[in-house]
Amino acid sequence: MIIHTDKTTMLKHLRFASIILASSVLIACGGEAGTQSSGDMPTNSVELSPTQVLANQSMDAVLWFNTSAEANYIYRQTYALAQMKLEENLESAEPGHPYAVVLDIDETVLDNSPYQVQLLKDGATFSNGSWTEWVRAEQAKALPGALGFTLFCESRGIEVFYISNRSNEFLKSTLNNLAKEGFPFTDEDHILLMDGPESDKTDRRMRVAGAYQILLYCGDNLRDYKEDFSARDRDFGKDYVQQMEADLQRNFILFPNPMYGEWTRFYVRDEPTAEMEAKRGAVDRILETMGE
């Protein structure tokens, strides 16, 4: 079903979202929404902690990613496009150079949505402890189309490099997980994880580019292609996407990830109540941009 939404309706929805976020902050902090006194509140109401409220806000995104046929098909369709784009770039590639494709790992080739589902069940948000437990369990499954695409690369003599911002302490677990799912090139030379606190992938990409002609990049974040896309202050980064569109169309394949990513950086906070306030501010910012 296609729903057509005019600007007035969209503004109403955004205002409603702002009200809900404001109410969530009040409830999470033990305050009151509206003028209703605590004595008038239903006795069966559930009081949620700020962390539980924040966790619940991601529920629709997580369930869509994990359960929807649309998400499943989008991945299959996007990997089919990646193969077409790769064949096109291969035809125009310079001869005499080894070829490579660079892939992100999480939410590009491996599905971590079960981890996100568990967080929902626990009323929790991301933590290093729970993430470490998940990665070391080596249970992430291949996303639709990912295995077929990498095997196609291998069949055409194109090496696959996996560049991820997983910590380098997870190298063994990541190698094992990818190998369990049947991915090729699952060795230490082809898996480049984050060594230290720096999340910029530029140096790792350049290491590959120094020895190979990279035909295509794939990821769920624009930073998986160029670090320049980390700047989101102006129009949430959309203006730079427009400037770089021809380059992106030729060299980069983007996968959907509504659960987390660079797009959340302007409101993510270390403290749940502060993050909910920042989300409310984001809604206000959008309303100001769109106008009354």
Side-chain angles (χ1 to χ4, degrees), residues 28-160:
C29 295
E32 301 170 13
T35 58
Q36 190 175 34
S37 68
S38 59
D40 296 329
M41 294 294 286
T43 58
N44 63 345
S45 62
V46 178
E47 184 173 342
L48 300 177
S49 70
T51 298
Q52 289 172 320
V53 171
L54 197 60
N56 286 341
Q57 288 176 5
S58 68
M59 187 176 295
D60 285 346
V62 171
L63 293 178
W64 179 87
F65 194 95
N66 186 269
T67 68
S68 75
E70 288 79 7
N72 183 285
Y73 177 65
I74 285 173
Y75 269 84
R76 296 182 188 279
Q77 181 184 53
T78 307
Y79 269 116
L81 174 63
Q83 183 169 323
M84 292 171 57
K85 180 61 65 176
L86 181 59
E87 290 179 312
E88 179 182 318
N89 290 352
L90 187 58
E91 288 181 2
S92 59
E94 297 179 11
H97 297 272
Y99 301 130
V101 164
V102 171
L103 296 174
D104 176 49
I105 294 179
D106 297 310
E107 279 52 74
T108 299
V109 298
L110 290 181
D111 178 9
N112 298 291
S113 64
Y115 165 71
Q116 302 286 344
V117 171
Q118 187 64 48
L119 291 180
L120 287 175
K121 181 179 179 180
D122 296 341
T125 55
F126 174 90
S127 71
N128 289 326
S130 61
W131 175 246
T132 296
E133 183 179 353
W134 164 254
V135 172
R136 288 184 172 162
E138 303 170 6
Q139 294 178 346
K141 299 299 182 183
L143 282 157
L147 179 59
F149 176 73
T150 57
L151 292 175
F152 170 78
C153 292
E154 184 181 40
S155 73
R156 297 299 297 271
I158 302 168
E159 295 188 36
V160 177

Side-chain angles (χ1 to χ4, degrees), residues 73-276:
Y73 177 65
I74 285 173
Y75 269 84
R76 296 182 188 279
Q77 181 184 53
T78 307
Y79 269 116
L81 174 63
Q83 183 169 323
M84 292 171 57
K85 180 61 65 176
L86 181 59
E87 290 179 312
E88 179 182 318
N89 290 352
L90 187 58
E91 288 181 2
S92 59
E94 297 179 11
H97 297 272
Y99 301 130
V101 164
V102 171
L103 296 174
D104 176 49
I105 294 179
D106 297 310
E107 279 52 74
T108 299
V109 298
L110 290 181
D111 178 9
N112 298 291
S113 64
Y115 165 71
Q116 302 286 344
V117 171
Q118 187 64 48
L119 291 180
L120 287 175
K121 181 179 179 180
D122 296 341
T125 55
F126 174 90
S127 71
N128 289 326
S130 61
W131 175 246
T132 296
E133 183 179 353
W134 164 254
V135 172
R136 288 184 172 162
E138 303 170 6
Q139 294 178 346
K141 299 299 182 183
L143 282 157
L147 179 59
F149 176 73
T150 57
L151 292 175
F152 170 78
C153 292
E154 184 181 40
S155 73
R156 297 299 297 271
I158 302 168
E159 295 188 36
V160 177
F161 287 84
Y162 307 91
I163 299 181
S164 167
N165 277 341
R166 288 185 173 199
S167 170
N168 207 45
E169 68 178 292
F170 300 133
L171 179 58
K172 182 178 179 181
S173 296
T174 302
L175 282 168
N176 291 342
N177 200 158
L178 289 169
K180 285 178 182 178
E181 292 301 301
F183 286 99
F185 303 103
T186 51
D187 56 70
E188 294 188 14
D189 291 335
H190 290 84
I191 300 180
L192 308 178
L193 304 185
M194 186 171 67
D195 189 10
E198 180 54 64
S199 63
D200 186 345
K201 296 181 176 181
T202 303
D203 288 345
R204 283 171 281 167
R205 287 191 291 258
M206 289 180 66
R207 282 164 53 189
V208 179
Y212 296 83
Q213 184 175 349
I214 301 176
L215 300 178
L216 196 65
Y217 297 82
C218 301
D220 66 318
N221 191 321
L222 289 165
R223 285 181 67 200
D224 292 326
Y225 180 51
K226 288 191 176 186
E227 184 63 18
D228 293 350
F229 288 104
S230 63
R232 305 289 174 104
D233 292 337
R234 181 178 176 183
D235 194 27
F236 304 100
K238 297 175 187 177
D239 58 333
Y240 189 59
V241 169
Q242 186 173 355
Q243 293 175 33
M244 296 291 293
E245 186 169 3
D247 189 18
L248 288 166
Q249 293 275 2
R250 183 171 55 253
N251 298 309
F252 184 61
I253 296 293
L254 181 65
F255 293 90
N257 182 359
M259 299 183 294
Y260 65 89
E262 194 68 26
W263 57 275
T264 67
R265 297 293 184 189
F266 70 97
Y267 64 71
V268 168
R269 301 291 186 272
D270 291 333
E271 200 279 320
T273 302
E275 182 164 326
M276 288 187 288

